[in-house]
Amino acid sequence: MIDFAGWENRDAIINKMPPEQIRKVLCHWVDWARDDQRPPPGDWTTWLMLGGRGAGKTRAGAEWVKALALKRIPIGDGPRRIALVGETLGDVRAVMVEGVSGIKAVHDTELEDDRPRWVGMRRQLVWEKTGFIAQAFSSEDPESLRGPQFAAAWCDELAKWKHAEATWDMLQFGLRLGDKPRQMVTTTPRPIPLLKRLLADRGTVVTRATTFDNFAQLARPFFDHVVARYMGTRLGRQELDAELIEERADALWRRDRIEACRVSAAPELLRIVVAVDPPAASGEGADACGIVAAGIDRERVGYVLADASAERLTPARWAKRVVDLFHRLQADRIVAEVNQGGDMVEAIIRQQDSDVPVEKVRATRGKLLRAEPVAALYEQGRVKHVGAFPALEDEMCDYGLGGLSSGRSPDRLDALVWALSSLMLGREGKPRVRGL
């Protein structure tokens, strides 16, 4: 066995080998696959691999099927049959079977001559020597799974299936061969009910991979252009980071609305403020310190410029962070909530810079009542996000009646509300035109 200490090290080692040795090495997938691509140990029924685009999900699924077909992984006694289920029959053949990382491709490195043969009329992939048969099914036709039986299944891009629930149910009835029927699911996550149930199932083992985990295998222009464009956005977090992005029905903000207000740069701004919602205490278990900067332009459109919020900050550290952001953005003033600390909040800030202008604000209404007018500004299209602020946007889309789902204080959101309220809902001072 060759110990590959990392993807870059692995590639350097392989590139120095003669072609025949490379072929031998590549046969031993388990030696150089990432941990998230290897079959997990334990008594699981479903192996759910959540991965970003290009993260190596298809390769992992194809290698798992190959290991079953060539008897490298036991599948039990009886007929050796597996179901291949994709969004469409075309996807099964084009991606799972004949794709660049599909089942036939991963057999190209085999020293053995038992390579599978596609039988189109039967929609089957057949291994002659071992008698293993993989049959293709589509989520467009759940009823086609009624009748056949299998010892295993590989389900690809389950979150995109047209009739996900019906297809999954019919597949479960068919997994009745062998000692321990198992199934592998490879998909980029979307918050569909079926996927959430699988994640909660005690028989499911989950591995995760991001697009960045497979960096060495992907084209550099893909990272320079595509990844750079979507990184941090809702779509990027789902398609690149493989995060399951939930929607809360009663939330004041919706993710599609935030995505629609995202811009790459701000115009010339009349005013910039840095708002801070300081924690009542510091140390383990304390609330985060919300620090958000925003500005407003001539058209009275607000722009969220930065989220510098952080947890477990001492008063001196959060004050320095606020003042540093103030100077970096050449802001006009600092807006500080003083409900918890009173005049002490201003004093802590002035210890970092005695000349910064500080506007003290005090909450006289509940958080929800203060947040609603700001949410309305988003609905009116009057607020833009300059770039992506994942942690802040998570709070926004999880905040409704009763607060956050976690019960924690919405500190980032509070700072956002103070910043935009000061700029757009409160009394304005003399405007001054200047860029960032």
Side-chain angles (χ1 to χ4, degrees):
M1 177 185 292
I2 296 177
D3 179 20
F4 296 112
W7 283 92
E8 294 181 4
N9 186 44
R10 181 211 67 184
D11 291 339
I13 294 173
I14 290 179
N15 289 336
K16 294 178 182 179
M17 295 179 178
E20 187 60 26
Q21 189 177 3
I22 291 176
R23 190 161 175 251
K24 291 179 181 180
V25 167
L26 294 180
C27 288
H28 300 284
W29 164 251
V30 294
D31 289 349
W32 58 274
R34 301 191 310 267
D35 288 343
D36 58 84
Q37 293 177 306
R38 296 187 177 100
D43 187 27
W44 51 268
T45 300
T46 303
W47 171 16
L48 174 58
M49 182 180 180
L50 299 178
R53 299 285 189 94
K57 304 185 299 296
T58 303
R59 181 63 188 269
E63 291 284 358
W64 183 66
V65 172
K66 182 178 82 171
L68 294 173
L70 301 182
K71 300 183 179 181
R72 294 172 183 170
I73 296 177
I75 198 173
D77 299 327
R80 301 175 58 77
R81 289 180 173 270
I82 184 172
L84 304 177
V85 189
E87 182 183 7
T88 67
L89 287 174
D91 290 328
V92 175
R93 183 167 182 180
V95 178
M96 301 171 73
V97 175
E98 296 179 346
V100 294
S101 300
I103 298 169
K104 293 182 73 174
V106 300
H107 280 76
D108 288 345
T109 59
E110 280 301 315
L111 302 178
E112 306 166 15
D113 60 358
D114 190 12
R115 293 178 175 83
R117 173 174 59 90
W118 176 253
V119 183
M121 292 187 64
R122 298 180 183 176
R123 307 196 314 272
Q124 291 181 342
L125 199 59
V126 179
W127 286 256
E128 302 289 352
K129 285 190 176 182
T130 63
F132 193 82
I133 297 175
Q135 185 157 355
F137 296 92
S138 164
S139 71
E140 295 179 323
D141 184 14
E143 290 299 307
S144 64
L145 282 158
R146 186 184 295 274
Q149 49 188 345
F150 310 97
W154 173 24
C155 306
D156 191 44
E157 294 299 352
L158 175 140
K160 290 173 57 185
W161 284 6
K162 185 173 183 180
H163 302 293
E165 299 283 353
T167 303
W168 183 261
D169 290 342
M170 289 298 101
L171 176 62
Q172 303 315 295
F173 285 120
L175 286 170
R176 53 182 188 264
L177 295 180
D179 302 325
K180 179 67 175 178
R182 287 185 163 186
Q183 55 200 340
M184 180 182 184
V185 177
T186 51
T187 189
T188 299
R190 290 174 58 201
I192 64 171
L194 175 57
L195 188 57
K196 289 190 278 189
R197 284 208 312 277
L198 288 179
L199 285 167
D201 194 305
R202 295 179 63 182
T204 300
V205 173
V206 182
T207 62
R208 299 176 185 269
T210 71
T211 301
F212 307 94
D213 293 327
N214 209 25
F215 176 84
Q217 306 304 309
L218 302 174
R220 179 57 65 90
F222 174 72
F223 280 90
D224 292 342
H225 303 295
V226 178
V227 174
R229 177 180 177 183
Y230 293 102
M231 187 166 55
T233 67
R234 178 194 185 279
L235 187 61
R237 293 173 65 192
Q238 174 179 286
E239 301 294 323
L240 302 174
D241 298 327
E243 290 188 36
L244 187 66
I245 308 297
E246 296 272 15
E247 295 282 1
R248 178 172 166 177
D250 68 338
L252 291 185
W253 284 267
R254 297 193 60 80
R255 293 190 185 275
D256 57 354
R257 174 63 64 183
I258 293 176
E259 291 299 327
C261 78
R262 202 180 305 284
V263 295
S264 58
E268 287 188 327
L269 299 174
L270 297 176
R271 178 170 290 108
I272 298 172
V273 302
V274 176
V276 55
D277 178 30
S282 60
E284 197 71 29
D287 292 335
C289 180
I291 305 170
V292 172
I296 191 170
D297 70 2
R298 290 186 179 88
E299 305 300 321
R300 295 187 58 77
V301 174
Y303 290 83
V304 180
L305 304 173
D307 174 20
S309 309
E311 296 182 354
R312 293 186 292 277
L313 294 179
T314 64
R317 290 178 62 195
W318 65 248
K320 183 178 188 306
R321 184 175 287 237
V322 169
V323 171
D324 287 348
L325 184 60
F326 172 88
H327 288 301
R328 179 164 65 84
L329 295 178
Q330 300 179 34
D332 293 277
R333 64 177 178 267
I334 293 170
V335 179
E337 181 184 315
V338 296
N339 281 58
Q340 300 293 340
D343 292 338
M344 184 64 69
V345 172
E346 181 180 1
I348 293 170
I349 294 172
R350 295 202 181 282
Q351 286 177 2
Q352 300 297 320
D353 187 335
S354 59
D355 295 326
V356 292
V358 177
E359 176 189 349
K360 295 183 289 185
V361 292
R362 188 178 298 275
T364 58
R365 298 181 298 163
K367 293 180 186 292
L368 186 67
L369 291 176
R370 285 186 280 116
E372 284 176 335
V374 175
L377 294 174
Y378 280 82
E379 291 294 324
Q380 297 162 8
R382 294 179 56 198
V383 181
K384 307 292 183 183
H385 282 200
V386 183
F389 310 106
L392 170 61
E393 291 164 10
D394 280 351
E395 282 195 6
M396 295 169 67
C397 296
D398 186 45
Y399 188 77
L401 189 63
L404 296 177
S405 299
S406 64
R408 292 180 60 88
S409 175
D411 305 292
R412 296 172 190 268
L413 176 58
D414 279 346
L416 172 80
V417 167
W418 285 123
L420 292 176
S421 295
S422 174
L423 290 167
M424 306 179 72
L425 300 176
R427 182 170 55 86
E428 291 198 359
K430 185 178 179 180
R432 181 160 59 93
V433 179
R434 52 136 203 228
L436 290 177

